[in-house]
Amino acid sequence: MANWAELPNDLIAHIAKRVKAIEDFIAFRAVCTSWQIAATTDNFDVFWPQLPLLMLGAKDDDYREFYSLSKKKVSRMFLPEARGSECLPSEGWLCTVVNDTGEMNLLHPFSHKKIQLPSRKAILTFHDLGERRPNGGNRWCCIDNAVLSANPSLTSDYALMVQHAGTGSCLAFWRPGDLDWTHIDVVNRAGVAALIHHKGQFYSMSYCGEVRAYEVAGPNITKPIVKTRLIVEMDEHKFNVPDVHYYLVELSGALLLVSRFASRHYNDPNCALHSFKFEIFVN
């Protein structure tokens, strides 16, 4: 029987370049040490269209689980850098927030490359909040959402916007080279319900139906500047509904607002929300 570990490195690398699905490439590199060494991340075509992998809840180990929409199965990935952290995905990267220390990074789960960010503590200082609640407990899940304007693997011209919980639901952004977060005053009567980057601008929607655009200055402008404008103001009574979740999504170049209606089954010990209807609004 042939010993697959003894195949020539150049042949392994040539085969690896033909693997298009990222979950298949991860499995390919996991066959043995020699395949992992030969099939470097440079052999993977990052421009090939990918169905997203859905990250599942954390367990108390150095692995994270991902669900493949194309293969309908769960795979485990060795990711010790994410242990003890909240993970917020965007553009194939993870914005990690260490629960204990508030340290923040951009982490690529495939290459394990890390980009250091200003800490969560720097965001909390916008609202004179500490790392502890008044009753002494930890401020878990301070960062609710994180959105990249572009893939850091492909360009250095990108920005990261985060939605965080302060005195309300607030926004802040960071660009490569910035020493701190830049706070954005979100002018609305309710918190941020959805956040997305679309055609060169960030967009947010509030729970009272306001959609705003944010244009962040590029890397050629040293001072972090953002221009904010109100795009549309929808019927507040239509959108400020309990147990309705809102999502801004891009489909074929169009910006869509998706409303997910759900109900609680109180006989469920987890009090989980069960979706029963979706509505789509086109810009």
Side-chain angles (χ1 to χ4, degrees):
M1 177 177 274
N3 187 347
W4 295 103
E6 295 180 356
L7 288 175
N9 283 2
D10 58 344
L11 177 59
I12 297 172
H14 182 72
I15 296 172
K17 290 179 180 179
R18 294 178 172 269
V19 179
K20 301 302 182 183
I22 190 168
E23 58 265 41
D24 291 339
F25 193 81
I26 293 170
F28 186 93
R29 297 182 76 241
V31 169
C32 60
T33 303
S34 62
W35 284 35
Q36 184 177 20
I37 293 173
T40 64
T41 54
D42 293 335
N43 293 324
F44 185 76
D45 185 2
V46 295
F47 294 102
W48 189 265
Q50 299 286 328
L51 279 176
L53 295 175
L54 305 182
M55 176 179 277
L56 304 182
K59 297 180 179 179
D60 190 20
D61 58 21
D62 289 335
Y63 289 82
R64 297 301 294 256
E65 292 182 332
F66 296 83
Y67 179 74
S68 169
L69 294 172
S70 60
K71 299 183 180 299
K72 296 181 172 58
K73 70 176 186 179
V74 175
S75 57
R76 299 180 78 223
M77 185 183 302
F78 184 62
L79 204 59
E81 300 91 340
R83 185 169 186 172
S85 301
E86 296 292 329
C87 296
L88 305 164
S90 182
E91 293 287 338
W93 287 67
L94 301 173
C95 177
T96 62
V97 187
V98 180
N99 288 326
D100 290 338
T101 64
E103 175 188 340
M104 296 181 63
N105 292 282
L106 285 173
L107 170 65
H108 195 284
F110 181 34
S111 66
H112 297 262
K113 180 179 178 180
K114 291 174 67 175
I115 301 174
Q116 187 175 2
L117 302 170
S119 72
R120 177 182 61 186
K121 186 176 181 180
I123 293 179
L124 293 175
T125 56
F126 291 136
H127 311 282
D128 295 324
L129 297 173
E131 288 286 332
R132 298 271 177 180
R133 296 186 186 275
N135 62 5
N138 287 321
R139 289 190 58 83
W140 303 109
C141 303
C142 172
I143 310 299
D144 298 318
N145 199 357
V147 175
L148 282 163
S149 63
N151 189 336
S153 300
L154 306 178
T155 179
S156 60
D157 181 9
Y158 66 90
L160 172 69
M161 187 170 290
V162 296
Q163 174 190 343
H164 59 96
T167 53
S169 189
C170 310
L171 299 174
F173 73 89
W174 171 89
R175 308 169 306 166
D178 290 351
L179 300 179
D180 207 344
W181 297 99
T182 298
H183 176 64
I184 300 175
D185 290 322
V186 181
V187 185
N188 58 47
R189 302 183 302 277
V192 175
L195 182 65
I196 194 175
H197 186 269
H198 174 70
K199 293 185 177 179
Q201 296 184 105
F202 290 95
Y203 290 84
S204 74
M205 179 188 165
S206 74
Y207 282 104
C208 61
E210 295 175 346
V211 176
R212 294 180 180 273
Y214 308 88
E215 184 179 351
V216 177
N220 56 327
I221 299 177
T222 304
K223 186 177 180 180
I225 300 174
V226 61
K227 296 179 180 178
T228 304
R229 58 192 176 96
L230 179 65
I231 301 298
V232 65
E233 190 171 5
M234 293 173 280
D235 183 2
E236 177 180 355
H237 299 290
K238 184 171 182 129
F239 288 91
N240 193 10
V241 181
D243 292 340
V244 178
H245 296 255
Y246 304 103
Y247 307 88
L248 290 171
V249 299
E250 182 178 347
L251 179 64
S252 301
L255 185 61
L256 309 179
L257 167 63
V258 179
S259 301
R260 177 169 67 94
F261 295 80
S263 62
R264 294 183 185 274
H265 293 180
Y266 291 99
N267 57 347
D268 184 339
N270 297 319
C271 290
L273 285 170
H274 299 268
S275 303
F276 64 87
K277 184 175 74 170
F278 291 86
E279 288 185 353
I280 299 176
F281 301 86
V282 182
N283 180 23

